[in-house]
Amino acid sequence: TLLSRVSRALTDAEILNRELEHRVAIRGLELARNYEKLQSLERERAISAERERMTTDMHDGIGGQLVHALAVIESDKVFQPLEPILRGALDDLRLIIDSADPTEGNLLVVLSNFRSRNERRVQEGGLRFLWQVTDLPPLDDFGPHKVLQVLRVLQEALTNVFKHAHATEVIVR
């Protein structure tokens, strides 16, 4: 009887030991995954901080210089042909800065920012701006590079409307 009890206790201890080893292995995998997530978040935070620093530098440095150059050009008729070039450079700088803003896959935020940046320009161009964009699903992997591509396509489309379409309205759908 004693030998049977010891044998059963040993078997139970082995079963418990295997269960404990299994639980420890699962927790170890969970810790490794959490550590990888933490490293990824830290990398993203560092990239985001650097991106923010760069956009601030571009806005304050290059943006300020372009605005100053525009003011100089507007004050002297001799330099008037340079105005569209500088305005284009300023618009491009704004696109780059806007594309660096975190959107978390939200195309609607990107489109709304584009609309607010360009609505006055469209109206000053004598066009009606019809906005037919509503709820959009979130997009995976929609980072700054893809945002910039979308903004450039929209900007080019708007420029083509102004230059070539002889339109009375712009519809974004």
Side-chain angles (χ1 to χ4, degrees):
T1 305
L2 187 58
L3 189 57
S4 175
R5 285 184 182 171
V6 168
S7 176
R8 200 174 324 125
L10 186 57
T11 303
D12 289 346
E14 287 174 354
I15 291 171
L16 288 174
N17 193 29
R18 280 190 297 253
E19 272 185 40
L20 183 59
E21 285 175 353
H22 180 71
R23 287 181 184 175
V24 167
I26 288 173
R27 294 290 186 239
L29 289 173
E30 287 176 3
L31 280 172
R33 278 190 296 247
N34 287 340
Y35 183 72
E36 287 173 15
K37 285 180 186 177
L38 188 61
Q39 283 182 320
S40 176
L41 288 172
E42 182 59 30
R43 271 191 307 273
E44 288 177 27
R45 188 201 61 75
I47 289 169
S48 179
E50 181 62 13
R51 186 178 296 127
E52 185 175 328
R53 183 196 64 77
M54 289 174 64
T55 56
T56 300
D57 290 348
M58 282 190 290
H59 179 270
D60 295 345
I62 298 169
Q65 291 173 1
L66 287 172
V67 168
H68 177 72
L70 272 171
V72 170
I73 284 172
E74 288 173 345
S75 69
D76 191 341
K77 297 281 188 211
V78 173
F79 299 117
Q80 288 295 311
L82 296 175
E83 183 180 352
I85 296 167
L86 282 176
R87 288 203 185 279
L90 194 55
D91 287 344
D92 200 46
L93 181 62
R94 286 182 181 128
L95 283 181
I96 293 168
I97 290 170
D98 286 349
S99 73
D101 287 341
T103 62
E104 294 164 12
N106 193 337
L107 180 58
L108 193 58
V109 168
V110 173
L111 295 175
S112 297
N113 287 340
F114 178 81
R115 178 184 184 184
S116 67
R117 286 259 192 213
N118 289 281
E119 196 158 24
R120 191 184 77 191
R121 178 179 167 214
V122 169
Q123 290 172 352
E124 287 174 355
L127 303 173
R128 280 185 348 153
F129 208 179
L130 302 175
W131 199 258
Q132 300 174 354
V133 179
T134 56
D135 199 21
L136 297 170
L139 302 172
D140 293 332
D141 193 31
F142 192 58
H145 180 68
K146 289 182 180 175
V147 169
L148 182 58
Q149 290 174 340
V150 167
L151 290 172
R152 286 194 190 282
V153 167
L154 289 168
Q155 189 70 41
E156 184 63 25
L158 195 57
T159 299
N160 287 342
V161 167
F162 283 127
K163 286 183 178 179
H164 308 294
H166 307 292
T168 58
E169 61 189 19
V170 174
I171 301 172
V172 178
R173 211 176 279 157

